Amino acid sequence: QVQLVESGGGLVQPGGSLRLSCAASGSIFSINAMGWYRQAPGKERELVALITSGGITNYAESVKGRFTISRDNAKNTVYLQMNSLKPEDTAIYYCNAAVVVRGSTWTYNYWGQGTQVTVSS
């Protein structure tokens, strides 16, 4: 099996910064896209940022210019650097990875447990 463990959430004032990390472990042959999603109270889960194994990135319009996604393929880890945070960025942030499991030719979708990000003064 594969586990995704997130870290780095917390409480920050508007205009501040946070860096989220998500490490994948387990029976991993390779990882295709990795991404961050978020879900605010009463809202649906939405894509924040995505990065392919080759480093191509995609961002939600609401975070462009403020958030940066990156990954370390050797460590099976994805990061989300969040700058100029706003109250509307408050949500639970979830890591996602498309993993080719060892011994399989299928790609499986895995989720982390989520980490709370609260932007408030």
Side-chain angles (χ1 to χ4, degrees):
Q1 290 298 327
V2 174
Q3 299 80 38
L4 301 183
V5 178
E6 298 136 336
S7 61
L11 173 64
V12 64
Q13 292 186 343
S17 298
L18 281 176
R19 188 189 194 214
L20 305 183
S21 300
C22 172
S25 63
S27 187
I28 299 170
F29 176 73
S30 65
I31 303 178
N32 297 326
M34 301 184 81
W36 290 94
Y37 292 71
R38 67 186 181 188
Q39 187 166 19
K43 295 188 177 181
E44 294 186 354
R45 190 173 298 189
E46 62 175 359
L47 173 68
V48 176
L50 197 69
I51 185 167
T52 68
S53 57
I56 297 172
T57 59
N58 186 38
Y59 295 93
E61 285 296 326
S62 60
V63 306
K64 279 184 180 177
R66 300 188 297 123
F67 291 11
T68 302
I69 189 170
S70 61
R71 65 190 281 175
D72 184 333
N73 291 330
K75 295 181 179 180
N76 291 330
T77 299
V78 63
Y79 307 96
L80 185 68
Q81 178 66 43
M82 305 185 291
N83 298 329
S84 302
L85 282 161
K86 305 175 181 180
E88 50 263 43
D89 294 317
T90 296
I92 299 174
Y93 283 69
Y94 297 91
C95 172
N96 175 270
V99 179
V100 179
V101 175
R102 284 196 189 123
S104 173
T105 57
W106 294 92
T107 299
Y108 296 90
N109 206 29
Y110 290 93
W111 292 91
Q113 79 285 358
T115 185
Q116 177 70 48
V117 171
T118 302
V119 184
S120 175
S121 55

